[in-house]
Amino acid sequence: MVVQQCRDGGGARAVRALAAAGVIAVTAGCFGGDGGGGAGDGSGQRAVAADRPLDLLGRAADVLVEAGGAETRTSMESAAGGTRVTIRGQGAYDFRKQLGRLRVVLPKDAAGKDAAGAGGHRPITELLAPGALYMKNRGAGVPDDKWVRIDTTGLKDGNLVTGGVTDPMAAAELLRGAADVTYAGKTELAGVTVHHYRGVADLGRAARAASPQSRGALSAAAKGFSKDAVPFDAYLDEDGRLRKVRHRFTFSSDARGPEVSVVSTLLLYGFGLPVTVTLPDEDAIYTGEIRQG
């Protein structure tokens, strides 16, 4: 987990530790401010800004379920020993089935090599499913043709940061725990008018209000993070669809360690996209020992 890896030091050592955990980091501005790809979804009919912010954010996950599939870009940024590490992902997600597939790219270290060394590490393929994370090209002694399966309900962070990608449905469900929300006005995101909201989400409240598929992971996060309060910036289009959300998670690496901050950003576009995700068979799951970095 990231929680265990952020104690190591900076530079290449921090990158190796994060890569061994399969964690991704992103800058808060990785999409060029409020911009992003893939507009062209049509304009909405509802006056989102006129609705109560808490109501809008509380039903954001439900609106995404109605929309079906979407393309997504993700980024996550964390600091270890004064070195900021950024990992990015891109793929698609089905909000009805809560299944997704992403291609995750690890960062390079200070020497210009990636975390696997001179040979380079191929992008990691991640499959997201309710209660589970599957990873291929994981490295750390895992055969190239095998997948690693992680029970996200058993992770202290509920896979909000461990995989380097915050599950898109979990990111939306977190907004069910929103409080102290302010409306920051209208702006444009990839040519689409969006409404910007700032607030703080409570992990415990979000877990209690979440769908059954997300509740286990969010409940684990509510117990594992050092702070239940998760500041966020959310951008909704005229139809109430979440286009972009940025969360700031805080946790401690151990009981005596310093607090670690992770900024996770999710961008959604191309709504209505058919998304096909096939989970690996049991014989494709690696059950051996995973080498630690």
Side-chain angles (χ1 to χ4, degrees), residues 98-111:
Q98 296 193 20
L99 295 172
R101 182 183 184 96
L102 293 100
R103 180 178 182 268
V104 173
V105 180
L106 298 175
K108 294 182 178 181
D109 65 20

Side-chain angles (χ1 to χ4, degrees), residues 14-26 74 76 84-90 102-109 112-117 120-126 135-140 161-165:
V15 175
R16 284 195 297 271
L18 289 168
V23 174
I24 306 179
V26 300
T74 68
M76 190 175 289
R84 198 163 293 275
V85 179
T86 299
I87 307 174
R88 307 175 191 273
Q90 185 168 359
L102 293 100
R103 180 178 182 268
V104 173
V105 180
L106 298 175
K108 294 182 178 181
D109 65 20
K113 302 175 182 177
D114 66 29
H121 197 300
R122 290 174 295 171
I124 295 174
T125 299
E126 294 193 7
M135 304 173 72
K136 195 172 186 180
N137 296 335
R138 167 70 164 73
V161 296
T162 289
V165 173

Side-chain angles (χ1 to χ4, degrees), residues 79-243:
T83 298
R84 198 163 293 275
V85 179
T86 299
I87 307 174
R88 307 175 191 273
Q90 185 168 359
Y93 192 87
D94 186 327
F95 287 94
R96 292 174 182 165
K97 298 180 180 178
Q98 296 193 20
L99 295 172
R101 182 183 184 96
L102 293 100
R103 180 178 182 268
V104 173
V105 180
L106 298 175
K108 294 182 178 181
D109 65 20
K113 302 175 182 177
D114 66 29
H121 197 300
R122 290 174 295 171
I124 295 174
T125 299
E126 294 193 7
L127 303 182
L128 307 175
L133 166 66
Y134 298 83
M135 304 173 72
K136 195 172 186 180
N137 296 335
R138 167 70 164 73
V142 179
D144 291 344
D145 62 340
K146 293 291 185 178
W147 293 84
V148 173
R149 183 188 186 281
I150 300 171
D151 179 1
T152 56
T153 63
L155 297 174
K156 289 184 177 179
D157 72 312
N159 195 36
L160 293 178
V161 296
T162 289
V165 173
T166 301
D167 184 293
M169 190 63 181
E173 298 249 40
L174 264 176
L175 299 177
R176 297 187 192 273
D180 300 326
V181 177
T182 58
Y183 179 57
K186 289 197 297 185
T187 185
E188 280 200 357
L189 183 65
V192 176
T193 298
V194 292
H195 299 270
H196 180 192
Y197 299 89
R198 291 193 181 100
V200 177
D202 181 271
L203 281 167
R205 186 186 304 122
R208 291 189 294 272
S211 64
Q213 298 94 322
S214 300
R215 193 170 298 146
L218 289 178
S219 295
K223 297 175 183 177
F225 278 89
S226 59
K227 290 184 178 179
D228 285 340
V230 180
F232 67 84
D233 285 84
Y235 301 80
L236 279 64
D237 66 16
E238 297 285 358
D239 284 333
R241 293 176 298 193
L242 185 65
R243 292 282 184 153

